[in-house]
Amino acid sequence: MTSAGPETKPASRTTGAPQRCGFGIDVGGSGIKGGIVDLETGQLIGDRIKLLTPQPATPSAVAKTIAEVVNGFGWTGPLGVTYPGVVTHGVARTAANVDKSWIGTNARDVISAELDGQPVTILNDADAAGLAEERYGAGRNQSGLVVLLTFGTGIGSALIHNGTLIPNTEFGHLEVGGKEAEERAASSVKERNEWSYPRWAKQVTRVLVTIENAIWPDLFIAGGGISRKADKWIHLLQNRTPVVPAALQNTAGIVGAAMAAAAEVTR
Ligand code: BGC
């Protein structure tokens, strides 16, 4: 756990103008991380706080941990929160890799209730990462259609057209050759089967080709922990659309959540 020291307070800028900042929380299977985000640069202001995800990770237990992180900063403004599944109108619709009791829960209300009614925006974790990468990271000089894929326990996806997010694409659940994409090419599959990078890259290629044949993106951004080893596998891919590694790494979820809360970019 990193603790929020005095350096987590937003520093005032030399111009004296108010700094535009937001707050994001990234909910993952093992940790719940949050921090204050400078929305002009996409950088965190000060440290982030990371607490362990409670087990079982039920909505009310997770909401309490989120409130602990937020209160650690004394943040009282709009709050953005990621969720590792489909979310529409604040309600969790799927729970592929989390406690099934999330399905049908109005996550926005449950979290807001722990924070005296503080406004909460909740969005899919990969959608949040995609927003952040497109604006501040690997997609920042790219116009057109960008697809971010996060390779982890599952495969998350974000589809962004000229800065506008089309939420909940769930490309990780597309059927590719009779199998769900994430069962074929998540990085957890590589680990479980002890595959080499070339062997795994073949499966990733199949997934990318399926997506590009359907929607013809201009750029793929590869995220998730395995993107830190991009030099070992991105050059092995044989699809036609350029693939670049994510740039923001483990802050992308926090940054994208803060962007969503500030802009209300999701429904
Ligand atoms: C879920 C996605 C999520 C991804 C990464 C998938 O199994 O369906 O919604 O973005 O995992 O957490």
Side-chain angles (χ1 to χ4, degrees):
M1 170 181 152
T2 25
S3 65
E7 72 281 11
T8 57
K9 295 275 183 289
S12 53
R13 293 197 313 194
T14 45
T15 56
Q19 187 156 14
R20 233 192 119 220
C21 47
F23 196 95
I25 297 257
D26 194 14
V27 175
S30 58
I32 295 181
K33 305 171 283 188
I36 298 172
V37 178
D38 179 334
L39 293 169
E40 282 169 22
T41 62
Q43 305 279 323
L44 293 200
I45 299 170
D47 285 345
R48 45 174 211 165
I49 292 184
K50 181 175 176 184
L51 298 181
L52 292 180
T53 305
Q55 299 301 337
T58 57
S60 65
V62 168
K64 284 194 174 66
T65 306
I66 289 172
E68 231 182 287
V69 174
V70 176
N71 293 332
F73 287 91
W75 179 263
T76 52
L79 173 68
V81 178
T82 71
Y83 172 74
V86 173
V87 189
T88 58
H89 310 285
V91 177
R93 298 288 179 189
T94 66
N97 299 310
V98 289
D99 199 275
K100 300 292 173 226
S101 61
W102 280 93
I103 297 175
T105 297
N106 190 316
R108 188 166 56 196
D109 291 353
V110 172
I111 297 163
S112 183
E114 287 293 332
L115 288 160
D116 295 330
Q118 212 165 316
V120 172
T121 301
I122 180 149
L123 77 166
N124 173 264
D125 56 358
D127 281 346
L131 281 174
E133 286 290 341
E134 202 266 354
R135 188 176 305 167
Y136 308 110
R140 71 187 175 284
N141 297 319
Q142 179 75 42
S143 59
L145 194 60
V146 175
V147 172
L148 169 124
L149 296 174
T150 60
F151 296 91
T153 309
I155 296 180
S157 63
L159 181 64
I160 296 167
H161 185 244
N162 290 333
T164 302
L165 171 74
I166 294 97
N168 295 311
T169 42
E170 295 292 312
F171 292 148
H173 298 283
L174 278 179
E175 194 181 304
V176 177
K179 241 188 191 180
E180 282 199 8
E182 71 176 25
E183 284 171 21
R184 192 174 273 293
S187 60
S188 60
V189 177
K190 175 181 182 301
E191 273 163 42
R192 197 167 51 243
N193 295 312
E194 298 180 356
W195 283 347
S196 64
Y197 280 102
R199 179 146 187 206
W200 177 66
K202 274 196 186 119
Q203 299 303 322
V204 176
T205 296
R206 290 185 72 173
V207 170
L208 299 182
V209 168
T210 303
I211 297 170
E212 65 192 1
N213 284 348
I215 58 165
W216 288 77
D218 295 294
L219 180 72
F220 281 114
I221 300 175
I226 202 161
S227 67
R228 276 181 226 130
K229 301 195 178 127
D231 54 327
K232 293 204 158 77
W233 58 277
I234 286 197
H235 66 283
L236 301 170
L237 299 171
Q238 290 182 335
N239 64 300
R240 63 175 176 267
T241 310
V243 184
V244 293
L248 301 179
Q249 305 293 354
N250 56 11
T251 62
I254 296 176
V255 173
M259 287 167 69
E264 278 296 342
V265 291
T266 53
R267 61 198 160 111

